[in-house]
């Protein structure tokens, strides 16, 4: 049997219970709620207390199984997109595979930073096509609060923790995929740096640098409002669609001002751009998946809707994928 | 145009110049050359002095372009398999993409630890099929010397640094792929742990643990000699091949005793198992690629040879892929 496409069976998300308001951040460094809201759209973020990336992802995987009415051993593939794994070995996806006892699933972690969910959709689709695999779990999961310098007001206000995912089934019929456009701009990788892992050895003078986020906010903003509209337009053109054909745009939740500027640039009413950054902050590879699940749950997004996902960030990387849900 | 298969255009590898002999290790902790050689087959390992995972991988990428007579902008995809990236963002593959100016390539890091090269072959093949992409670079690259506690004689003797890779082209004709068998055993992930990245935040009591390798050597040995023969036999059975049909077995270079025991278990003359662990130690995702390049270079491996790659390790994970080179 040859699979030609995929369909999204179910969505799920899980965030830590603990929230940190902007007001609480004013106790850690010199900032105000007004400043943060105006610059980013963020009011609060969820952060781990005793959770980890793999525990958040395990919650999502278990929800997906339940909602899809599948047994764990029916899962063939688990892909976790993350830039904040618990360990470098074992991978988050392996830990999830063990936790949910998906003994027939192979597990792969990918890292394309904030574009992780769209790159993950691309990858899972390709892995399912023509490969006798039927059911895949794709999760974006992050514990970014451990990569944040909580004394640095320029980055500490931005990030949150959480995980979201989809259960994807391959189909022989018409499926979900419409078009995609992915791009990497590695020459600008130093605009967003996090998680430096260097360490000296008796043979190397490798420096112990900072593991924390360091961003050139202005350059990242310019990159995003330039490259994301281009990527969306490329994907639409491939599918011979115009912006009116799209029901909802689900962009990586990096910054509300970036999303607004992108909606203006591609001349689409801002209300087609679903947004939840106010509640979660930037959760990197998890953000589009958490957003998707939220608006599927509240029935804003309905079966048959045409949806544009667009992720962008570290790498630098940008990825757009258009689906019919 | 629809691509059906892939072929390996060229191979390359790069290791740091600096070598550390077993004798030199006796100055760091209580051990002997004889003990290390007897237990592991390792005589020396190459370790970084001022290199990084991405600098090693960039060397490999440049060699691959040169050997394949391709311009950087003809590359569509760069996948780096690594468990020792320089940063969590940007990814190693993004840095390489930027360094070699492969402006049309999308970049993805994957992490399946020591199975990285075989999982990478699986992934790149699937990404090329039916996807209008033509040329891909797959690199396994590691800087494990920064994940080693150089006071711990049980692990410090085992690992080395290096990178190896292949340039892969999609084809419409008969290609390279014969069969594969991949498996993840996430429940046993704690047998091999490295690169813990946890860190407390003002909101979390996450512990600062050790970033270093911790292994249960006995259990890893048992896992390898049980699961690798199974995986190889599964892949052979799928292809309706017997062991006599295979010219060479290129196993992950974890330990010479493991490789010998596996050759006995599947009843194949040990000289079909190519080995270079004596020179490089365990280089995780890089090991099979470095081995492959070495024996292609010295003309041991010839076009048309049937080759079994089998990677195994952290995850736990195991992956076998059979190709006709």
């Amino acid at each position: 049997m040859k699979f030609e496409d995929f369909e999204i069976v179910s969505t799920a998300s899980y965030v830590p219970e603990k929230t940190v308001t902007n007001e609480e951040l004013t106790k850690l460094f010199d900032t105000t709620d007004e400043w943060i809201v105006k610059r980013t759209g963020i009011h609060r973020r969820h952060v781990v207390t005793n959770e980890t990336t793999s525990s958040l992802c395990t919650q999502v995987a278990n929800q997906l199984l339940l909602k899809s009415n599948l047994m764990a051993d029916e899962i063939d593939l688990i892909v976790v997109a993350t830039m904040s794994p618990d360990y470098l070995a074992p991978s988050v996806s392996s830990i999830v595979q063990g936790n949910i006892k998906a003994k027939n699933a192979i597990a792969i972690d990918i890292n394309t930073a904030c574009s992780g969910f769209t790159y993950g959709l691309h990858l899972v689709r390709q892995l399912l096509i023509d490969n006798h695999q039927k059911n895949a779990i794709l999760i974006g999961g992050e514990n970014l609060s451990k990569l944040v310098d909580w004394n640095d007001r320029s980055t500490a206000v931005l990030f949150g923790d959480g995980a979201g995912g989809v259960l994807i089934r391959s189909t022989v019929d018409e499926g979900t995929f419409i078009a995609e456009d992915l791009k990497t701009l590695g020459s600008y990788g130093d605009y967003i740096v996090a998680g430096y892992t260097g360490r000296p050895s008796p043979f190397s003078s490798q420096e112990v640098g900072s593991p924390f986020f360091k961003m050139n906010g202005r350059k990242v903003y310019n990159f995003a409002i330039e490259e994301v509209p281009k990527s969306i337009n490329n994907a639409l053109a491939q599918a011979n669609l115009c912006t009116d054909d799209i029901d909802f745009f689900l962009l990586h939740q990096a910054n509300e001002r970036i999303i607004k500027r992108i909606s203006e640039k591609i001349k689409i009413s801002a209300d087609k751009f679903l947004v939840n950054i106010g509640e979660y902050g930037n959760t990197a590879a998890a953000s589009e998946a958490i957003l998707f699940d939220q608006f599927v749950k509240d029935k804003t997004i309905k079966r048959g809707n045409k949806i544009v996902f667009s992720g962008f960030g570290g790498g630098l990387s940008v990825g757009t994928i258009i689906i019919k849900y």
Side-chain angles (χ1 to χ4, degrees), chain A:
Chain A
M1 183 156 56
K2 179 153 168 34
F3 297 120
E4 296 288 351
D5 202 350
F6 73 89
E7 55 186 15
I8 293 172
V9 179
S10 61
T11 66
S13 60
Y14 186 83
V15 295
E17 207 176 310
K18 167 81 177 166
T19 58
V20 177
T21 62
N22 292 345
E23 199 54 43
E24 286 173 75
L25 292 182
T26 64
K27 292 169 205 158
L28 296 178
F29 42 76
D30 186 20
T31 191
T32 65
D33 178 53
E34 294 68 31
W35 189 91
I36 299 172
V37 172
K38 190 177 166 214
R39 300 296 177 103
T40 68
I42 301 167
H43 293 270
R44 82 194 110 249
R45 68 284 298 147
H46 293 245
V47 298
V48 303
T49 50
N50 55 6
E51 301 93 340
T52 60
T53 302
S54 59
S55 77
L56 299 175
C57 291
T58 300
Q59 293 278 355
V60 171
N62 277 322
Q63 279 184 42
L64 288 171
L65 288 177
L66 210 64
K67 287 181 175 184
S68 309
N69 208 15
L70 284 171
M71 305 293 289
D73 59 10
E74 294 178 90
I75 305 301
D76 301 302
L77 172 67
I78 298 173
V79 172
V80 171
T82 184
M83 57 173 286
S84 52
D86 303 344
Y87 306 91
L88 296 173
S91 64
V92 177
S93 53
S94 295
I95 298 173
V96 170
Q97 190 255 18
N99 285 348
I100 69 169
K101 302 187 171 54
K103 64 179 167 42
N104 299 315
I106 64 165
I108 303 174
D109 273 16
I110 65 165
N111 183 353
T112 64
C114 300
S115 303
F117 187 69
T118 45
Y119 275 63
L121 281 173
H122 166 70
L123 206 117
V124 168
R125 173 170 177 262
Q126 291 295 127
L127 288 174
L128 290 181
I129 287 176
D130 202 22
N131 198 35
H132 318 292
Q133 293 188 322
K134 188 135 188 65
N135 297 309
I137 285 176
L138 168 65
I139 299 174
E142 303 284 9
N143 172 6
L144 301 179
S145 61
K146 72 181 174 189
L147 299 179
V148 160
D149 175 357
W150 288 98
N151 297 310
D152 172 13
R153 64 176 179 175
S154 72
T155 54
V157 302
L158 299 175
F159 298 100
D161 300 330
V166 288
L167 196 139
I168 293 174
R169 181 163 59 198
S170 54
T171 67
V172 288
D173 313 315
E174 189 203 2
T176 280
F177 178 80
I178 296 178
E180 66 184 355
D181 181 75
L182 307 177
K183 187 174 176 182
T184 302
L185 300 97
S187 304
Y188 308 113
D190 60 343
Y191 292 2
I192 307 172
V193 174
Y196 177 70
T197 64
R199 193 176 295 113
S201 80
F203 319 104
S204 138
S205 52
Q206 214 166 67
E207 279 173 42
V208 180
S210 162
F212 299 128
F213 270 103
K214 234 175 65 185
M215 282 177 58
N216 186 322
R218 170 54 49 187
K219 287 184 171 173
V220 171
Y221 178 87
N222 288 337
F223 149 75
I225 65 162
E226 181 73 26
E227 292 294 335
V228 178
K230 244 196 260 179
S231 181
I232 292 174
N233 285 329
N234 285 346
L236 287 169
Q238 267 177 53
N240 219 1
L241 292 173
C242 65
T243 49
D244 284 348
D245 297 321
I246 302 299
D247 295 291
F248 297 108
F249 292 79
L250 276 69
L251 267 58
H252 167 52
Q253 303 290 294
N255 184 315
E256 197 166 8
R257 284 168 70 196
I258 290 178
I259 297 172
K260 276 198 180 136
R261 186 75 192 99
I262 291 170
S263 74
E264 288 163 16
K265 277 196 91 170
I266 52 177
K267 300 188 178 66
I268 303 164
S269 142
D271 59 5
K272 277 196 176 182
F273 282 74
L274 303 180
V275 173
N276 68 0
I277 190 172
E279 175 68 23
Y280 302 107
N282 178 345
T283 58
S287 84
E288 288 151 89
I290 294 172
L291 186 68
F292 187 35
D293 182 51
Q294 177 182 331
F295 287 99
V296 165
K297 263 187 202 142
D298 84 0
K299 300 189 166 55
T300 304
I301 296 174
K302 296 177 189 66
R303 287 287 173 186
N305 280 171
K306 289 200 180 74
I307 299 169
V308 168
F309 290 98
S310 197
F312 53 90
L316 301 178
S317 58
V318 54
T320 298
I321 184 160
I322 309 178
I323 65 162
K324 185 177 159 195
Y325 174 55

